[in-house]
Amino acid sequence: MESKIAFYPSIITLGGVLFTFVMFYAESFQISAYVVDIIPQLEIKDSDTAQTLLSTIIGGLISLMVFSFSMVMVVLNQASSNFSPRLLPGLISNKNHQYVLGIYLATIIYCILIFISVESGEKENMLPIFSILVAIIFTVWCLGLFIYFIHSISQSIQVNNIVRTIYTTACNRLSILLDDKEPNPVQHNNISWHHFTTESVGYYAGINKRSFSRIFKDKEDVQLYVTVYKGQFVKPGVEVFKTNVTLTEAEQKEFTSCLTFTDGEIVEENYALAFKQLTEIAVKAMSPGINDPGTAILCIDYLSLLLRLRMRLTDDPLLEKCGNHMLYNEVVSFKNILSVMLLELRRYCTEDTALVIKLIHMLQYLMQQPKACPSYHETIKTELAILKADALNNITSENDRNTVRALFTN
């Protein structure tokens, strides 16, 4: 629910409604008369003036909100067309924009309820002057948020900021995994496993560890191995997990409900998605309609930094302790990440000598980085050989071909 665009606006709007009733309660203690005594300039002479002011605020805020979030639709359409549709969930889930929408809605609801409380022909000393003053303050706040929103939305569509955000999010996730890294106390390959499938469909997003511990609280030393990695699309009948203990049909069904499947992927939980997104942005930038090698080079630079971090992790399953139980989570291998990434980049970028040189430099840079597994360097050497063959086949200029050959001889 928290990831839905309406979650925070709904909470803030509800808070606005509750605040309105607090203001009604405060008005019952003649707080408006007290405010007018201190600041006589705030006095409103009649109810028609108050209603006109509130109706103007309501109409203006509604127009402001419609204009603001029509811009969001334009931004989402532009991001989808110029970069990648995979970026849309991240842009939609921007919490700062959700907060702005919630404050707009809360202010509008507050002003409407205050407007209803002002009856035509009301006596001067009965007008909710303090509540109207608060409505004016909220309106000025909304105008300030509108300026912030214009700045934020203009920044969010810039490709440099998009790429940097993707990199930072994935880097944070990889750093957490590196900090939590610990050797497996049990050799999972030596365990006699019982295999289980699921009828669920979607992208695997994780497991509810609390429910896992609750289901197996009466069993000792349970070893659970989730055989799909985060972000992998699961089909009905595919093996999803295995355990070292037998499960009844009821236990299997209950545990399967603890597995989370979604319609999309989130970089915060699945760093591998960052490689997909940055690769797709680079490939889209090299399409004939956009033809932006600078963006592709920018993506390759950040991909090299992410790959450097990924090389510090092994391909072994991630181990998590849930009480007395052990939970193994399958991970997407370094070879898979690098191969899929370069497969797309080679197809669309090997005709551009500058990008080929950039890819060669990236792989040569990775060859010099520390590795968690000896096979990583072998994988990089294989990809270098494939890149060389594709580049020499696609580059037509002999001078450029000689430049590429020289990079491999150095």
Side-chain angles (χ1 to χ4, degrees):
M1 288 180 60
E2 188 179 357
S3 63
K4 304 299 181 183
I5 191 173
F7 179 77
Y8 288 106
S10 299
I11 297 297
I12 297 174
T13 302
L14 179 61
V17 174
L18 296 176
F19 180 76
T20 305
F21 287 104
V22 171
M23 294 303 298
F24 286 160
Y25 182 74
E27 291 292 348
S28 66
F29 290 95
Q30 301 298 320
I31 189 174
S32 294
Y34 176 74
V35 171
V36 171
D37 289 340
I38 297 177
I39 312 176
Q41 293 83 357
L42 297 177
E43 183 179 9
I44 298 177
K45 300 298 183 180
D46 56 73
S47 60
D48 291 339
T49 302
Q51 288 180 329
T52 301
L53 178 62
L54 289 171
S55 62
T56 302
I57 291 175
I58 294 169
L61 288 178
I62 290 176
S63 300
L64 194 67
M65 186 178 68
V66 171
F67 175 74
S68 298
F69 289 90
S70 64
M71 290 182 59
V72 173
M73 296 300 105
V74 173
V75 166
L76 295 180
N77 181 62
Q78 185 176 348
S80 177
S81 301
N82 294 346
F83 306 125
S84 170
R86 289 180 183 270
L87 300 178
L88 298 187
L91 294 175
I92 290 174
S93 61
N94 188 319
K95 289 184 174 56
N96 291 333
H97 296 167
Q98 295 180 27
Y99 296 152
V100 172
L101 174 61
I103 293 170
Y104 281 176
L105 291 173
T107 304
I108 291 172
I109 297 298
Y110 171 81
C111 291
I112 290 174
L113 294 176
I114 296 299
F115 180 87
I116 294 173
S117 69
V118 178
E119 297 182 3
S120 180
E122 226 176 354
K123 294 181 181 179
E124 175 186 328
N125 60 355
M126 296 294 292
L127 289 173
I129 295 176
F130 181 66
S131 298
I132 296 172
L133 173 62
V134 172
I136 295 173
I137 294 173
F138 281 173
T139 303
V140 174
W141 186 19
C142 289
L143 292 175
L145 288 175
F146 175 71
I147 297 173
Y148 160 77
F149 182 83
I150 295 296
H151 169 76
S152 177
I153 207 72
S154 63
Q155 292 292 316
S156 65
I157 197 58
Q158 296 180 16
V159 66
N160 289 353
N161 293 331
I162 291 175
V163 171
R164 180 71 183 182
T165 300
I166 296 172
Y167 162 75
T168 303
T169 306
C171 185
N172 291 338
R173 179 58 182 165
L174 281 168
S175 299
I176 291 173
L177 294 177
L178 286 169
D179 293 339
D180 294 342
K181 182 175 62 175
E182 59 178 288
N184 294 344
V186 178
Q187 293 297 324
H188 56 84
N189 292 328
N190 299 328
I191 299 175
S192 177
W193 295 107
H194 301 272
H195 301 262
F196 302 93
T197 61
T198 180
E199 295 302 316
S200 300
V201 177
Y203 291 95
Y204 173 65
I207 181 174
N208 189 321
K209 301 179 185 64
R210 183 178 301 176
S211 298
F212 164 62
S213 299
R214 175 180 54 81
I215 293 171
F216 297 108
K217 64 180 180 180
D218 297 329
K219 298 179 183 291
E220 294 292 334
D221 298 327
V222 174
Q223 306 284 328
L224 174 70
Y225 192 124
V226 180
T227 57
V228 294
Y229 54 83
K230 286 186 177 181
Q232 181 175 342
F233 189 79
V234 177
K235 305 178 183 65
V238 173
E239 179 187 324
V240 175
F241 68 95
K242 52 188 180 181
T243 65
N244 65 330
V245 297
T246 58
L247 299 181
T248 65
E249 186 175 346
E251 288 175 332
Q252 178 184 349
K253 185 176 180 180
E254 187 177 8
F255 175 75
T256 303
S257 66
C258 300
L259 302 175
T260 304
F261 297 91
T262 63
D263 296 330
E265 302 171 87
I266 305 173
V267 178
E268 287 86 346
E269 297 295 333
N270 177 23
Y271 68 85
L273 179 59
F275 293 98
K276 294 181 183 179
Q277 290 185 344
L278 292 177
T279 301
E280 288 179 358
I281 294 174
V283 169
K284 194 70 174 284
M286 290 307 297
S287 65
I290 298 178
N291 193 23
D292 182 13
T295 296
I297 290 174
L298 177 68
C299 292
I300 293 172
D301 286 334
Y302 280 108
L303 282 169
S304 64
L305 296 178
L306 287 179
L307 287 168
R308 173 179 171 272
L309 280 178
R310 177 59 183 83
M311 288 179 66
R312 295 168 57 189
L313 287 174
T314 67
D315 289 339
D316 294 329
L318 295 175
L319 172 65
E320 297 181 72
K321 295 181 180 179
C322 300
N324 296 325
H325 309 314
M326 297 293 180
L327 173 61
Y328 297 95
N329 290 287
E330 188 63 85
V331 298
V332 56
S333 67
F334 175 79
K335 180 179 180 180
N336 185 301
I337 292 174
L338 186 63
S339 299
V340 172
M341 184 188 82
L342 289 176
L343 177 65
E344 295 187 36
L345 290 174
R346 286 198 311 270
R347 181 176 180 183
Y348 295 97
C349 302
T350 48
E351 294 182 1
D352 190 302
T353 306
L355 287 178
V356 170
I357 293 174
K358 195 67 177 179
L359 289 173
I360 294 172
H361 286 162
M362 179 190 76
L363 293 174
Q364 290 176 342
Y365 168 76
L366 294 176
M367 284 291 295
Q368 301 170 3
Q369 302 307 309
K371 58 189 183 301
C373 294
S375 61
Y376 289 175
H377 280 181
E378 295 301 322
T379 299
I380 297 172
K381 289 180 182 178
T382 301
E383 293 298 332
L384 271 170
I386 298 173
L387 177 61
K388 178 182 179 181
D390 283 358
L392 294 179
N393 287 334
N394 287 282
I395 296 175
T396 56
S397 171
E398 188 60 32
N399 287 334
D400 291 345
R401 289 159 62 91
N402 291 334
T403 300
V404 171
R405 290 192 187 97
L407 290 174
F408 285 96
T409 57
N410 292 336

